[in-house]
Amino acid sequence: MEGLASLPQFLLVGLTLGSIYALVAVGFVLIYNVTGILNFTQGEFCMLGAMLTATFVRSGIHLLPASFLAVATVVLLAVLLERGAISSARKATPLTLIFVTLGAATAIRGIALLIFGTEPYTLPVFQNLRPLQLAGVSVTWASLSALAVVVVVVLLIFFLLERTMAGKALRACMINKLAAQLMGINPQRMSLLAFVLSAAVGAVAGIIIAPITLAVYDMGLMLSLKGFIAATLGGLASAPGAIAGGLLLGVLEALGAGYIGSGYKDVAAFAVLLVVLFVRPDGLIGAIRGERV
Amino acid sequence: MLTVNGLQVAHGAIKVLHGLNISVEQGEIVAVIGANGAGKSTMLGAIAGIYRPSGGQIVYCGRNVAGQPAEILVKQGIVLVPERRQVFAALSVYDNLLLGAYHRYRSEKHLLPAEISRILEMFTVLKGREKQAAGTLSGGMQQMLVIGRAMMAKPKLLLLDEPSLGLAPLIVREITQLVRSLREQGMTVIVVEQNVRAGLEMADRGYVLERGLVVIDGAAEELLVDCRVQNAYLGRK
């Protein structure tokens, strides 16, 4: 049993993990509010971001261009997915489209298994640097860089949503699709924009988690579930809510793993989901059932 | 400017409009009145491109636009202010107005700040509240905002769905004056109202809708004293 002395260390681990969940959750919220779909390929975007970057780095490309190339590839895949499977089936109910994303996620995972195999990939970043010691807390450079990247990505998302016309149109579409359409905003174009943004953010999340937890072909499923729980915690309605939900989930997981046992890490996450579903059934289920035109 | 011929619209299996005919001349304010469920909002929705008609024509400026989506019709000058206000609640008053000009943002970006100032001069209740979240405004202010937002789209044909719904009489009067002033700016307006008196007081002409069909039409002043309208909607015998 750990004492209170370990609390800062657990909090740091939790915030690092939580910041990654936060990015996945932002992807969920963007797509959900524009299209009414819970996109379960979100975790696969992360997996592909991680696996592709690791593969490119292995083949000798420097980390930064490798990351950009991976993000661009994932975005291209998201465009194909949105245009090919989601937009063309937009008359289907949101529930059907959620199953489409589940199917696409399974297909992506299967193809990833064929391409990358079952072995875990590492992303060799900051491996030779010793962790910093800050007030008794051991901070790895991978954690620190992950947090820094998340802060930059979150700031970029907010700049885009708050300051650009495309971002304002996307928010308008998230708030009130009908009114947005009546202002000349094309909902299908906004759906594509939401997929592009979510894929880019998801791929970045995958790249920053790879040096911390290794990258495996089937890491996407759990990330999707965690991102979904984080988005649910945040009320599924806004990017700030999703970020708060992600951080909270990460911290709860780290505390669960630290004080109860690492085997209970996921138990903490799913227990949180159950509690949210029990305490706020209308908030979540009502929102999912809400028809969107 | 607009001729609606034999318009039929169904929501699923339920037919709402059964061959509706109305026409609107350039610069006119036309009120469409009728009870709840008569098909007034559905008619506006079909003209604005929210509902796809199952039959009939919507001839706007000489072209049949029936079935075109709303985001295309906005560019051609048909702008709907939907009922129940529908502001972008989390966005600021300024951003709401800016989004009104979304379809011409690229080409006329430099003109928009001045136009927003002009709208704020017109809707003085919104002045000084540019940064306030639209959802925190009062009902009357929200109604002013959505009309202002629609005007940012530079409509030729403005469609107002129940602008007086749920508002205090004083504010209804303000909105009536506002709608009448739009005519001086060369705008053509169709206003749908359950508040029959407010609707007809805004308008030059009126149509009375019952169960998806026009049952009475005429000059607004005449309809206000028409005994059928009075009996059915104004509570007089």
Side-chain angles (χ1 to χ4, degrees):
Chain A
M1 195 74 178
E2 299 283 343
L4 266 182
S6 313
L7 186 64
Q9 188 72 52
F10 293 157
L11 285 178
L12 176 78
V13 172
L15 286 177
T16 309
L17 209 57
S19 63
I20 288 154
Y21 296 157
L23 291 188
V24 185
V26 166
F28 263 103
V29 165
L30 284 177
I31 292 181
Y32 175 69
N33 285 285
V34 175
T35 64
I37 303 168
L38 292 166
N39 172 34
F40 282 100
T41 57
Q42 197 58 40
E44 309 310 322
F45 293 156
C46 304
M47 177 274 289
L48 285 173
M51 298 299 270
L52 287 171
T53 307
T55 308
F56 293 147
V57 169
R58 269 190 188 183
S59 68
I61 304 175
H62 191 265
L63 177 66
L64 211 57
S67 302
F68 276 110
L69 204 57
V71 172
T73 312
V74 175
V75 165
L76 185 67
L77 186 83
V79 169
L80 291 175
L81 175 74
E82 200 277 341
R83 289 288 102 160
I86 304 293
S87 183
S88 56
R90 65 180 175 275
K91 295 233 165 79
T93 63
L95 194 61
T96 310
L97 290 171
I98 291 169
F99 281 109
V100 169
T101 71
L102 278 168
T106 311
I108 293 171
R109 214 158 36 242
I111 295 166
L113 173 63
L114 290 176
I115 297 174
F116 304 112
T118 53
E119 78 175 295
Y121 282 44
T122 55
L123 201 53
V125 209
F126 308 123
Q127 276 180 335
N128 302 324
L129 293 172
R130 289 177 51 184
L132 294 172
Q133 295 298 326
L134 294 172
V137 180
S138 170
V139 187
T140 65
W141 284 92
S143 267
L144 207 59
S145 59
L147 285 169
V149 170
V150 170
V151 169
V152 171
V153 170
V154 167
L155 288 176
L156 275 175
I157 292 171
F158 278 97
F159 176 79
L160 186 96
L161 291 180
E162 300 276 341
R163 296 267 179 257
T164 68
M165 193 60 167
K168 285 173 185 177
L170 188 72
R171 284 181 73 200
C173 211
M174 288 168 75
I175 298 167
N176 189 330
K177 198 169 180 178
L178 172 70
Q181 208 178 345
L182 290 170
M183 296 293 95
I185 298 167
N186 185 337
Q188 275 147 47
R189 202 174 288 173
M190 290 300 125
S191 163
L192 187 63
L193 179 60
F195 267 86
V196 164
L197 272 177
S198 301
V201 170
V204 170
I207 296 169
I208 57 180
I209 202 177
I212 302 171
T213 66
L214 299 181
V216 200
Y217 82 97
D218 64 352
M219 69 195 274
L221 179 62
M222 203 45 113
L223 279 171
S224 274
L225 291 173
K226 298 290 173 64
F228 170 62
I229 296 171
T232 309
L233 274 178
L236 263 174
S238 70
I243 291 165
L247 294 175
L248 182 63
L249 181 67
V251 168
L252 285 174
E253 263 194 35
L255 293 181
Y259 286 115
I260 305 172
S262 57
Y264 291 96
K265 180 168 141 293
D266 296 333
V267 175
F270 290 108
V272 166
L273 178 64
L274 285 179
V275 169
V276 172
L277 288 175
F278 283 136
V279 177
R280 291 196 45 201
D282 289 343
L284 181 71
I285 294 168
I288 291 174
R289 284 193 186 150
E291 286 291 309
R292 274 150 205 266
V293 182
Chain B
M1 179 180 218
L2 179 84
T3 311
V4 174
N5 278 329
L7 184 65
Q8 296 174 23
V9 180
H11 296 313
I14 303 159
K15 260 195 162 184
V16 181
L17 300 180
H18 309 269
L20 183 87
N21 300 310
I22 66 164
S23 67
V24 181
E25 297 300 321
Q26 169 89 42
E28 245 187 341
I29 300 177
V30 171
V32 178
I33 56 177
N36 206 357
K40 309 180 298 294
S41 295
T42 301
M43 177 202 75
L44 281 195
I47 297 172
I50 301 174
Y51 304 123
R52 184 176 276 274
S54 50
Q57 285 189 319
I58 299 170
V59 181
Y60 167 70
C61 295
R63 285 182 42 226
N64 183 14
V65 296
Q68 288 200 23
E71 63 267 23
I72 301 292
L73 292 174
V74 171
K75 292 178 192 158
Q76 296 173 17
I78 301 181
V79 179
L80 169 64
V81 177
E83 67 180 321
R84 284 177 284 121
R85 300 187 264 284
Q86 319 237 9
V87 293
F88 300 122
L91 299 184
S92 68
V93 167
Y94 190 91
D95 282 348
N96 268 271
L97 291 172
L98 188 65
L99 281 164
Y102 177 80
H103 71 90
R104 54 197 185 90
Y105 180 73
R106 268 195 206 158
S107 53
E108 297 174 25
K109 189 179 170 181
H110 57 289
L111 301 174
L112 300 182
E115 283 181 30
I116 291 176
S117 303
R118 197 174 57 82
I119 296 280
L120 290 170
E121 288 299 328
M122 230 176 119
F123 299 88
T124 45
V125 287
L126 300 175
K127 228 177 157 187
R129 296 180 185 271
E130 293 89 329
K131 290 185 180 162
Q132 192 174 332
T136 63
L137 297 173
S138 71
M141 287 178 192
Q142 289 191 10
Q143 188 62 55
M144 300 287 183
L145 177 60
V146 287
I147 296 177
R149 187 178 69 189
M151 287 173 65
M152 287 296 294
K154 290 232 165 129
K156 292 184 190 123
L157 175 63
L158 182 67
L159 311 172
L160 298 174
D161 197 353
E162 306 264 10
S164 77
L165 193 72
L167 297 181
L170 202 67
I171 298 169
V172 173
R173 216 167 303 148
E174 263 182 60
I175 288 176
T176 303
Q177 282 167 1
L178 176 76
V179 171
R180 296 200 73 86
S181 74
L182 295 179
R183 188 207 340 244
E184 287 145 33
Q185 301 180 30
M187 225 173 272
T188 308
V189 182
I190 304 179
V191 56
V192 150
E193 271 291 354
Q194 260 184 74
N195 180 341
V196 172
R197 184 172 300 281
L200 289 176
E201 280 175 355
M202 289 176 205
D204 306 311
R205 268 190 325 115
Y207 289 93
V208 180
L209 241 62
E210 267 175 28
R211 289 185 292 277
L213 284 170
V214 173
V215 289
I216 311 170
D217 69 289
E221 292 162 357
E222 288 167 16
L223 289 183
L224 269 170
V225 295
D226 186 296
C227 59
R228 291 168 296 175
V229 174
Q230 289 200 336
N231 285 342
Y233 301 105
L234 296 173
R236 283 189 207 157
K237 296 213 169 130

